[in-house]
Amino acid sequence: MIVSNRRITGLTGDVIAELVAEVGPLWHERHQAKLASRPRKRAVGGGPKHQLVFVDRLLATLVHLRHGATHDVLACWFRVDRSTITRSIGEVRPLLAERGCTVSPDVRLRTLAEVVEHLGTSGTTGIIDGTEIRVRRPAVGRKERDKFISGKNKQNAVKSMVVTDSGGRVLWCSPAQPASCADITHARQLGLVTLLSDGPAVEILADAGYQGLGAQTGGRVVTPPHRKFKKNAPDWYEEMYERQRKAHSSRRIRVEHGIAHLKNWRALARHLGRREHMSDTVQAIASLLSHQQTTDLHSTRQT
């Protein structure tokens, strides 16, 4: 049974059952609203019936996100037409993205403002970093084609800002932006500076790509130390600089672990579909991963 093997969906059976109970009614409600929004040509209850029940639609979406399985493969697996799989994933993926990241059984974080408030309330240190996801190159002649070229990797990609706690648990992922946008610019566009300046006193660790935010947020964003001597640095300074840099890196490394867990979902290793779906894909995977991490942590504490 596909549900019984976590390696297939990335989630345990208990988490999938919770998703069915939570997302299923939302999908049914939206489906009925869509039917009611257009003039009917048949009587209520007429027309072809669904070939896929909601559980199968959810499973197809999970396998697609986890392993990057194509719609053709999933159509053969579930014995339906390819268009049915495409429509099912297009309906379920936004519902998963809207759930937000689960930090406890009764707390969900859906916006960056909620993340900052959670960090201030819990007294937890946050860690931010940007991650890039390779996408297909835009067609020749398309407007703003060069926006997706990453200045770091020289590849066509989109970028998302990831926020984790000090243990590496995913708290939030931003909507995707073209990879040509610098990390610090992306953070400013998301409103991080305003939220930290006007919000609670929190500590957020970041790498050198965010240097400058510390001064703008009253020291709430902590970045690696600036190098004061570029040439002929004294030995005592080199030793002190390396010690401070390694100490900061050892605290910040947990966000790399969180990003690695996200990239275990093949849809984020390299995206071959439409770039317009990347924001929903990133946030849906963050929602699923955080839910499973919270469930695993809660189970460990009980035992």
Side-chain angles (χ1 to χ4, degrees):
M1 183 67 178
I2 186 174
V3 179
S4 63
N5 196 329
R6 183 171 176 177
R7 291 178 296 179
I8 299 296
T9 61
L11 306 174
T12 59
D14 292 340
V15 172
I16 293 178
E18 293 176 6
L19 289 175
V20 172
E22 176 186 348
V23 182
L26 295 177
W27 173 84
H28 182 74
E29 180 182 347
R30 291 193 181 184
H31 178 68
Q32 294 300 320
K34 183 178 179 181
L35 293 178
S37 65
R38 61 192 183 195
R40 295 194 62 86
K41 296 183 179 181
R42 295 187 179 96
V44 177
K49 306 304 178 184
H50 286 303
Q51 293 179 282
L52 279 181
V53 296
F54 174 75
V55 175
D56 288 340
R57 292 171 182 263
L58 176 62
L59 292 176
T61 305
L62 294 178
V63 175
H64 171 70
L65 295 176
R66 180 65 176 178
H67 296 285
T70 64
H71 296 187
D72 287 325
V73 171
L74 292 171
C76 294
W77 194 349
F78 288 93
R79 299 180 180 179
V80 294
D81 190 77
R82 182 184 186 277
S83 62
T84 301
I85 295 295
T86 301
R87 183 168 56 253
S88 300
I89 294 176
E91 292 171 350
V92 175
R93 181 173 49 204
L95 295 175
L96 297 176
E98 293 170 6
R99 297 177 66 247
C101 291
T102 305
V103 295
S104 66
D106 56 345
V107 176
R108 295 265 180 85
L109 305 178
R110 296 179 175 86
T111 64
L112 186 57
E114 293 177 355
V115 174
V116 173
E117 182 180 356
H118 168 73
L119 294 175
T121 303
S122 62
T124 306
T125 297
I127 314 175
I128 62 174
D129 197 8
T131 183
E132 294 184 355
I133 305 157
R134 291 183 62 186
V135 295
R136 294 187 303 174
R137 187 178 187 183
V140 176
R142 184 160 184 173
K143 185 180 179 181
E144 299 180 338
R145 187 186 188 207
D146 294 339
K147 285 181 63 177
F148 292 92
I149 299 178
S150 167
K152 178 180 179 181
N153 296 322
K154 310 303 180 185
Q155 297 174 340
N156 289 272
V158 295
K159 175 179 293 185
S160 176
M161 189 177 79
V162 180
V163 185
T164 70
D165 61 12
S166 56
R169 293 176 55 204
V170 177
L171 301 180
W172 186 71
C173 286
S174 73
Q177 288 281 350
S180 60
C181 181
D183 287 349
I184 189 170
T185 303
H186 191 195
R188 288 168 177 160
Q189 291 175 349
L190 293 171
L192 181 62
V193 174
T194 302
L195 291 173
L196 293 179
S197 300
D198 301 336
V202 299
E203 181 186 48
I204 295 183
L205 306 179
D207 62 10
Y210 296 91
Q211 282 183 341
L213 289 186
Q216 296 178 344
T217 59
R220 288 176 171 83
V221 176
V222 181
T223 57
H226 287 276
R227 189 178 182 87
K228 300 184 182 300
F229 294 90
K230 295 185 178 179
K231 295 183 179 179
N232 302 322
D235 293 339
W236 63 267
Y237 177 80
E238 288 288 353
E239 181 181 353
M240 180 189 68
Y241 175 79
E242 285 298 318
R243 184 171 61 251
Q244 292 176 346
R245 185 182 64 83
K246 289 182 179 179
H248 181 273
S249 178
S250 64
R251 296 184 64 199
R252 196 195 66 85
I253 194 62
R254 293 290 185 164
V255 71
E256 304 292 350
H257 300 165
I259 292 175
H261 288 305
L262 287 170
K263 292 295 183 72
N264 282 337
W265 293 70
R266 296 296 298 174
L268 297 186
R270 182 175 182 180
H271 185 72
L272 300 177
R274 292 179 176 270
R275 292 178 298 276
E276 294 80 4
H277 297 157
M278 278 308 305
S279 292
D280 281 346
T281 299
V282 171
Q283 294 184 317
I285 292 175
S287 171
L288 297 170
L289 176 61
S290 64
H291 192 162
Q292 186 62 63
Q293 288 177 333
T294 300
T295 300
D296 292 341
L297 182 63
H298 186 68
S299 300
T300 302
R301 289 177 176 175
Q302 285 184 335
T303 56

